[in-house]
């Protein structure tokens, strides 16, 4: 039904552990991709922390996920859910979604996934899509008696 190209901000953080130093990886942000971004851009590097931007992903909206989009938009803090995998020693995003239901599936899958704060531009895009393509069903209260 609709799509938006996006780029994901990823982070590597060195973590001191009593058994040695480990790297912790996470998706920490998302921005709309206006095009012409390289697949991978290093934003900053240090021994303690690296940030890099990965382009080439699309947020896609499908009518069968409308309930999940609606739940996410109505949440106190809307998220974009990012599933990522290790590739050549670096965490690389594989998929992104604005569906709360799909985000839950990502977390339940056992793969690496993070929820990042949804930027205003993406929020407006999803909310506009829902106004055009979704009518929430009235909630049924508890039946007593």
């Amino acid at each position: 039904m609709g799509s938006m190209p996006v780029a994901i901000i990823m982070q590597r953080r060195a973590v001191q552990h009593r058994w040695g130093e480990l790297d912790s990886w996470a998706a920490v942000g998302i921005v709309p991709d206006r095009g012409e971004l390289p697949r991978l851009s290093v934003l900053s590097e240090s021994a303690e922390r690296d940030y890099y931007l990965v382009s080439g992903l699309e947020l896609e909206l499908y009518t069968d996920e409308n309930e999940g989009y609606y739940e996410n938009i109505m949440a106190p803090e809307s998220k974009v859910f990012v599933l990522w995998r290790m590739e050549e020693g670096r965490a690389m995003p594989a998929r992104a979604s604005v569906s709360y239901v799909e985000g839950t599936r990502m977390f339940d899958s056992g793969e690496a996934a993070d929820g990042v704060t949804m930027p205003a531009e993406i929020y407006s895009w999803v909310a506009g899509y829902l106004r055009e393509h979704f009518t929430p069903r009235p909630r049924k209260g508890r039946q007593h008696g």
Side-chain angles (χ1 to χ4, degrees):
M1 292 297 301
S3 66
M4 174 186 283
V6 293
I8 310 296
I9 301 168
M10 299 295 295
Q11 174 191 69
R12 180 207 56 87
R13 193 170 46 91
V15 178
Q16 296 295 327
H17 196 275
R18 64 181 177 187
W19 293 297
E21 190 172 301
L22 304 170
D23 285 331
S24 173
W25 302 87
V28 295
I30 185 168
V31 294
D33 183 353
R34 307 274 184 245
E36 300 180 24
L37 286 175
R39 172 79 173 129
L40 178 73
S41 302
V42 175
L43 303 175
S44 70
E45 286 182 303
S46 72
E48 298 82 32
R49 196 174 306 237
D50 298 339
Y51 290 96
Y52 53 100
L53 184 70
V54 181
S55 66
L57 274 79
E58 296 255 346
L59 288 175
E60 296 179 295
L61 301 176
Y62 301 98
T63 54
D64 61 341
E65 287 287 340
N66 283 353
E67 289 279 346
Y69 306 143
Y70 181 74
E71 282 183 54
N72 193 7
I73 290 296
M74 298 307 292
E77 186 179 346
S78 300
K79 302 279 186 184
V80 177
F81 303 97
V82 179
L83 181 130
W84 55 268
R85 297 181 177 117
M86 294 301 293
E87 293 178 15
E88 299 177 14
R90 188 184 299 260
M92 297 293 286
R95 194 167 76 235
S97 176
V98 292
S99 167
Y100 186 81
V101 174
E102 189 172 5
T104 301
R105 286 192 297 257
M106 287 179 188
F107 293 129
D108 289 348
S109 74
E111 293 202 68
D114 296 297
V116 301
T117 300
M118 185 183 294
E121 185 174 342
I122 295 174
Y123 183 95
S124 295
W125 174 68
V126 177
Y129 164 86
L130 287 171
R131 278 191 296 278
E132 202 172 308
H133 299 283
F134 180 67
T135 303
R137 287 180 272 177
R139 294 192 179 256
K140 294 180 182 176
R142 263 191 144 162
Q143 301 289 325
H144 294 286

